[in-house]
Amino acid sequence: MELDYDPRKRFGAHLAALRRKRGISQERLALESGLARSYLSGVERGLRNIALVNICILAQALDMQPSELLDFRTGA
Amino acid sequence: MELDYDPRKRFGAHLAALRRKRGISQERLALESGLARSYLSGVERGLRNIALVNICILAQALDMQPSELLDFRTGA
């Protein structure tokens, strides 16, 4: 099945917006989540196909529900 | 960062429940999504750390939003 949008780009942009809205730097989110800053940077630039466990770790670090991190617009 | 729950188990159980609620067999969801039935079975049994793109493909195959597939209970 083909998607008519790139989930990595949508997720990355959404994550960066959520992080900034909370006034959290990439460094701090990396520190709190335990994920490497370079990995986080790649996720936010839409270069990484992040897996479920890391999505849930980021959600917990941002004190959010995992579903909120996937609350981005789908479709073209 | 440690999670006090296993996202793979929560996601798998949630996906199976959503699929059954729609009266869709694993075979049919595999066919419609283009994902292998054995992979899907592993995801539903909580054995796979499914990645973002496949989460979005399954959401589209179930005619749902990706965030709905992550709408499972978090925490112990």
Side-chain angles (χ1 to χ4, degrees):
Chain A
M1 170 173 270
E2 288 296 318
L3 296 172
D4 58 5
Y5 66 95
D6 183 343
R8 290 163 299 190
K9 293 257 184 316
R10 295 281 167 90
F11 181 90
H14 185 55
L15 176 65
L18 292 173
R19 175 178 59 75
R20 286 193 197 106
K21 217 188 305 179
R22 280 160 182 71
I24 298 175
S25 66
Q26 252 184 24
E27 287 72 19
R28 198 166 131 219
L29 183 53
L31 206 67
E32 292 195 5
S33 62
L35 301 176
R37 203 191 67 72
S38 56
Y39 170 78
L40 200 54
S41 162
V43 170
E44 290 196 355
R45 285 179 290 133
L47 305 176
R48 297 260 175 179
N49 188 17
I50 187 171
L52 176 66
V53 171
N54 280 349
I55 292 171
C56 292
I57 283 173
L58 285 173
Q60 184 160 297
L62 289 165
D63 197 21
M64 300 177 71
Q65 288 300 312
S67 57
E68 292 177 273
L69 266 66
L70 261 66
D71 223 359
F72 49 72
R73 196 172 54 78
T74 56
Chain B
M1 170 175 271
E2 288 296 318
L3 296 173
D4 57 6
Y5 68 95
D6 184 342
R8 289 162 298 190
K9 294 257 185 312
R10 295 280 166 92
F11 180 90
H14 184 55
L15 176 65
L18 292 172
R19 176 177 60 73
R20 287 193 197 106
K21 219 188 303 179
R22 279 157 183 71
I24 298 176
S25 67
Q26 254 185 23
E27 287 73 18
R28 197 165 132 220
L29 182 53
L31 205 66
E32 292 195 4
S33 62
L35 301 176
R37 202 191 70 70
S38 56
Y39 171 78
L40 200 53
S41 163
V43 170
E44 290 196 355
R45 284 180 291 134
L47 305 176
R48 298 248 173 195
N49 188 16
I50 186 170
L52 176 66
V53 171
N54 280 349
I55 291 172
C56 292
I57 284 172
L58 285 172
Q60 184 159 297
L62 289 166
D63 197 22
M64 300 177 71
Q65 287 301 313
S67 57
E68 292 178 273
L69 267 66
L70 261 65
D71 223 359
F72 49 73
R73 196 172 52 80
T74 57

